[in-house]
Amino acid sequence: MQWCLVDNRSSIRKKQREKFFLQLFINDSKLDLQIDKCREEPDFIVRLNDRLIGIEITEIFISHSQSGSAEKAQESISSNIVAKAHALYK
């Protein structure tokens, strides 16, 4: 794994947070992913088998939902995004 080069504390915290989320995904997915490079666009390059894949970490913030809690709305949107990404990957 290459170390990320960033130019200020805010960027360092952001990159650490992104790496934390990526590591959660890697652990939960049970895929044999290895972080190859850390950069800005995309945030990370990972290796899956012999393929390189770019990953951009994005957070979704929802302040409120008309039909329910913000947590439920965010969970629903996140589930849809993951389902579409999975379909594209296949």
Side-chain angles (χ1 to χ4, degrees):
M1 155 82 190
Q2 283 184 334
W3 286 99
C4 301
L5 298 176
V6 291
D7 55 358
N8 63 46
R9 285 185 177 184
S10 176
S11 294
I12 291 169
R13 284 192 300 272
K14 180 177 183 251
K15 192 51 72 177
Q16 287 172 334
R17 186 172 172 84
E18 290 170 346
K19 186 176 179 193
F20 172 76
F21 286 130
L22 176 59
Q23 198 59 57
L24 284 177
F25 171 76
I26 290 171
N27 294 343
D28 286 347
S29 71
K30 310 244 185 318
L31 294 172
D32 185 25
L33 292 173
Q34 289 129 25
I35 300 172
D36 192 66
K37 291 182 184 172
C38 173
R39 33 186 279 168
E40 271 310 305
E41 292 182 14
D43 292 320
F44 298 94
I45 303 292
V46 297
R47 187 172 298 276
L48 176 62
N49 303 322
D50 288 330
R51 297 173 64 188
L52 292 176
I53 301 169
I55 296 182
E56 182 71 24
I57 306 296
T58 302
E59 292 184 68
I60 301 170
F61 297 97
I62 299 172
S63 60
H64 68 283
S65 170
Q66 294 175 355
S67 61
S69 75
E71 289 177 20
K72 291 271 187 196
Q74 186 165 337
E75 184 178 320
S76 175
I77 291 169
S78 297
S79 294
N80 287 335
I81 291 170
V82 170
K84 287 179 184 179
H86 186 262
L88 288 171
Y89 175 73
K90 284 184 168 186

